[in-house]
Amino acid sequence: MSLGLVTVHGDETESQCAYSDVMARWQPDAQSRLENAALELFAERGFEAVSAAEIAARAGLSKATFFRHFPDKPEVLFWGRDLLADTFRQAIADGAPDASPLELVRAAVLAVAPVFDADRHHHAATRQRLIASSPTLHERAVLKRAALAQAITDALQARGVTGGTAELAGLGGAAAFDAAYERWAASRTYRGFAAFARRELDRTVHAAASLS
Amino acid sequence: MSLGLVTVHGDETESQCAYSDVMARWQPDAQSRLENAALELFAERGFEAVSAAEIAARAGLSKATFFRHFPDKPEVLFWGRDLLADTFRQAIADGAPDASPLELVRAAVLAVAPVFDADRHHHAATRQRLIASSPTLHERAVLKRAALAQAITDALQARGVTGGTAELAGLGGAAAFDAAYERWAASRTYRGFAAFARRELDRTVHAAASLS
């Protein structure tokens, strides 16, 4: 994690300020214990073959505890997306008054960089392989990306960005985040998320300019 | 239908050329009979309370026929999206050599205008209400929009548009199409789809220009 953190501190003031808040909500707890147990079991036996009760048992928790945290089995790999959406919303609300929509999206995506530490990186490639191999998990990933896009769009609209522009920025921001996450997860040695995010955000800015 | 058609013929050459091909694949058949039966039954009793067998019976077909056409019950309201994706792909492949990504997206969305005739308009508002009222149908709509966006992106990439630009154009195009469909469906009297599509496409062009 320190590598990503140092990079973020170097040139992203928003991320630096939000660091302790963001991380406090991402500490290991029942949800991440259940996620880690699920990743181990799914990797061993495949997503379909493992029950919620078995995930709970591997994590040393009850099946009832599992369903207190997650509405269904796929959700055990996606709980972090709700926290991402909250972090995006907060970063956009806190952005500079004169920032453009894409500058606000940049601040939002970079604000979540501290979350993607070496611990999360350890499981990220397994998680991506599972999502690619399971239609159920792939569908859930598509729905979660749409929810992230909507969170960005809503936060931009709350700052007065008009509907169409806010929607396109939300769609582009969520796509850039997902592309950065995918490349970060595919990296064999751990490197900070911020550099991946910056590259994809730069591509999005370039894409917007070359549409018409 | 003729109203939409006349508008399209007026100033969209691509749509005019594609008209007979597009419509031939959208003629009433088992799929649209099943869709109409499903819309009637869902409107009477709600999406959850109606079985695939009941939809088939209302359409004068067997349950086996239903499942030869659709993998599951929600899909009965979304089969047209696969034809839309094909039509988008073809229009983009046939677009002018020097067209910009957003000009190709415009040609694609306007190419489907003839499909949205008075017959389809008759059920469109009911369809939208059902989707809004059912989490299952809403999820399916989000997944179908993602598939439409991907179809546009793939078709643009096949013409040499680079990845990030093609993806943003696909996301923006699918969003514009959905917004146009929603407003068209909400219109109390039937009007041609092309005018709704043009308004949303203009908004997308404006949105792209005002992102940065």
Side-chain angles (χ1 to χ4, degrees):
Chain A
M1 136 134 47
S2 54
L3 183 60
L5 185 56
V6 167
T7 310
V8 168
H9 275 202
D11 60 349
E12 298 296 336
T13 313
E14 292 87 348
S15 306
Q16 187 177 3
C17 297
Y19 175 76
S20 59
D21 279 0
V22 171
M23 289 310 291
R25 302 176 60 205
W26 287 80
Q27 293 309 310
D29 59 359
Q31 282 177 311
S32 53
R33 273 168 63 193
L34 287 163
E35 182 181 13
N36 289 341
L39 280 163
E40 286 174 16
L41 286 167
F42 293 163
E44 289 164 22
R45 291 194 270 137
F47 169 74
E48 296 295 344
V50 174
S51 71
E54 289 169 312
I55 297 166
R58 175 72 64 102
L61 298 165
S62 71
K63 182 177 161 186
T65 301
F66 183 97
F67 285 110
R68 258 203 309 280
H69 286 278
F70 307 112
D72 59 18
K73 186 174 70 167
E75 201 63 18
V76 69
L77 296 188
F78 293 98
W79 62 274
R81 300 277 149 149
D82 296 338
L83 287 181
L84 287 182
D86 287 348
T87 308
F88 285 171
R89 273 189 214 98
Q90 193 60 51
I92 289 170
D94 294 347
D98 59 346
S100 74
L102 283 182
E103 285 166 352
L104 292 168
V105 168
R106 176 176 289 264
V109 174
L110 289 169
V112 302
V115 163
F116 297 104
D117 59 14
D119 270 0
R120 288 195 79 76
H121 188 258
H122 178 65
H123 281 312
T126 305
R127 183 174 176 281
Q128 293 301 88
R129 266 196 304 277
L130 282 164
I131 291 172
S133 71
S134 159
T136 305
L137 291 174
H138 178 73
E139 279 195 359
R140 189 62 56 98
V142 172
L143 295 169
K144 287 287 169 173
R145 187 209 271 203
L148 280 185
Q150 193 62 53
I152 297 172
T153 298
D154 291 346
L156 291 171
Q157 288 187 319
R159 287 186 54 126
V161 178
T162 56
T165 304
E167 184 171 14
L168 197 58
L171 293 168
F177 170 78
D178 269 0
Y181 180 86
E182 203 172 295
R183 280 158 206 264
W184 175 78
S187 165
R188 293 180 60 133
T189 54
Y190 171 72
R191 291 186 291 149
F193 180 78
F196 293 89
R198 269 192 213 96
R199 193 170 318 137
E200 296 304 326
L201 290 160
D202 288 346
R203 284 181 75 223
T204 303
V205 172
H206 178 261
S210 58
L211 275 177
S212 52
Chain B
M1 134 135 45
S2 54
L3 184 61
L5 185 56
V6 167
T7 310
V8 168
H9 275 205
D11 59 348
E12 299 295 334
T13 312
E14 293 86 352
S15 306
Q16 187 176 3
C17 298
Y19 174 75
S20 59
D21 279 359
V22 170
M23 288 311 291
R25 303 176 61 205
W26 287 80
Q27 292 310 310
D29 59 0
Q31 283 178 312
S32 54
R33 272 168 64 195
L34 287 163
E35 182 180 14
N36 288 341
L39 280 162
E40 285 174 19
L41 286 166
F42 294 162
E44 288 164 23
R45 292 194 270 136
F47 168 75
E48 297 296 345
V50 175
S51 71
E54 290 170 311
I55 296 165
R58 174 73 64 104
L61 298 166
S62 70
K63 182 177 162 187
T65 301
F66 183 95
F67 285 111
R68 257 202 309 279
H69 286 279
F70 306 112
D72 60 18
K73 187 174 68 169
E75 202 62 18
V76 71
L77 296 189
F78 292 99
W79 63 274
R81 299 277 149 150
D82 297 338
L83 287 183
L84 288 182
D86 287 347
T87 309
F88 285 173
R89 273 188 213 101
Q90 194 59 52
I92 289 170
D94 294 345
D98 59 344
S100 74
L102 282 182
E103 284 165 353
L104 292 169
V105 167
R106 174 176 291 264
V109 175
L110 289 170
V112 302
V115 164
F116 298 103
D117 58 15
D119 270 358
R120 289 196 78 77
H121 188 258
H122 177 65
H123 281 311
T126 306
R127 183 174 177 280
Q128 294 300 88
R129 266 196 304 278
L130 281 165
I131 291 172
S133 72
S134 159
T136 304
L137 292 174
H138 178 74
E139 281 195 358
R140 189 61 56 99
V142 172
L143 294 170
K144 288 286 169 177
R145 187 209 273 204
L148 281 185
Q150 191 64 52
I152 297 172
T153 298
D154 291 345
L156 290 171
Q157 288 186 321
R159 287 186 54 125
V161 178
T162 57
T165 305
E167 185 172 11
L168 197 58
L171 293 167
F177 169 78
D178 269 359
Y181 180 86
E182 202 172 296
R183 280 158 207 264
W184 176 77
S187 165
R188 293 181 58 135
T189 53
Y190 171 72
R191 290 187 291 148
F193 180 77
F196 293 88
R198 270 191 212 98
R199 192 172 316 135
E200 296 304 325
L201 290 160
D202 288 346
R203 285 181 74 222
T204 302
V205 173
H206 178 261
S210 59
L211 274 177
S212 51

